Amino acid sequence: MAASASFVEPRTRTEGTALGTAPWVAMYHSVGDRSDDPYRITVTPDRLDAQLGWLRRHGLRGVSMGTLLRARARGEARGLVGLTFDDGYADFVEHALPLLRRWACGATLFVLPGRLGGDNAWDPLGPRKPLLTADGIRRAAAEGVEIGSHGLTHLDLTRADDATLRAETAGAAGRWRS
């Protein structure tokens, strides 16, 4: 199950089907005002609240990707849904974090170490949205959110040469050690 600005509520969950054997993952980006979003990747806080509530009412719990993968390896992933928030938008701390806390959900936040405190300059059509600072990432981590890297600067890796690919991935890992 993938969701960003929209959320598809599954009608059934039957063991032995694709829905019953593969883990579910809901993917989000920005959480806030979606009135000026040509990419349709922003979900409103009210909609995220409704989606997390739906999961809980149906016996499902949002967790980080690490938690989901470890549970799956043990054969214990039933009832778990991976929640991811890509790009490290600053609105995560203000809007998503309180809702995750309210619904007792975990999540993985994928950030861009090379753009901390910057904006989403890679989106040519969209409005400039601020990205998390190091302090915002620390706050999310202190609340139990798993932090992952979405690459160094959000380059299109399918078009990158070998040197750029190494710099974008290894460079992101190097920033975490600093």
Side-chain angles (χ1 to χ4, degrees):
M1 173 175 79
S4 57
S6 61
F7 182 80
V8 178
E9 295 179 1
R11 300 223 184 266
T12 62
R13 182 172 181 167
T14 307
E15 289 305 315
T17 68
L19 286 176
T21 58
W24 291 6
V25 177
M27 180 186 72
Y28 296 93
H29 286 82
S30 178
V31 181
D33 177 17
R34 58 176 279 174
S35 61
D36 186 19
D37 179 2
Y39 302 103
R40 300 179 50 118
I41 62 167
T42 303
V43 63
T44 65
D46 287 343
R47 185 139 175 118
L48 178 60
D49 186 45
Q51 292 171 3
L52 295 177
W54 185 93
L55 290 174
R56 296 302 284 189
R57 284 189 303 280
H58 287 83
L60 302 169
R61 182 170 57 94
V63 297
S64 70
M65 291 304 298
T67 297
L68 179 64
L69 293 173
R70 286 187 299 276
R72 186 163 192 238
R74 294 187 309 268
E76 300 171 357
R78 185 178 179 91
L80 301 180
V81 176
L83 299 179
T84 70
F85 292 83
D86 284 358
D87 303 332
Y89 288 99
D91 55 28
F92 176 85
V93 171
E94 180 183 354
H95 298 300
L97 204 50
L99 296 173
L100 292 169
R101 189 180 323 114
R102 174 180 182 208
W103 292 104
C105 289
T108 300
L109 173 62
F110 290 105
V111 300
L112 301 160
R115 292 190 183 266
L116 298 183
D119 63 27
N120 60 329
W122 63 86
D123 285 334
L125 302 177
R128 293 296 146 246
K129 291 186 172 203
L131 301 177
L132 285 165
T133 63
D135 286 340
I137 294 169
R138 283 186 200 97
R139 183 172 169 199
E143 297 236 10
V145 173
E146 177 179 68
I147 307 298
S149 177
H150 190 1
L152 187 61
T153 63
H154 205 284
L155 289 180
D156 179 352
L157 300 180
T158 65
R159 297 173 190 251
D161 59 32
D162 288 351
T164 303
L165 184 59
R166 273 191 298 281
E168 187 71 12
T169 56
R175 292 279 176 109
W176 290 122
R177 289 189 287 270
S178 318

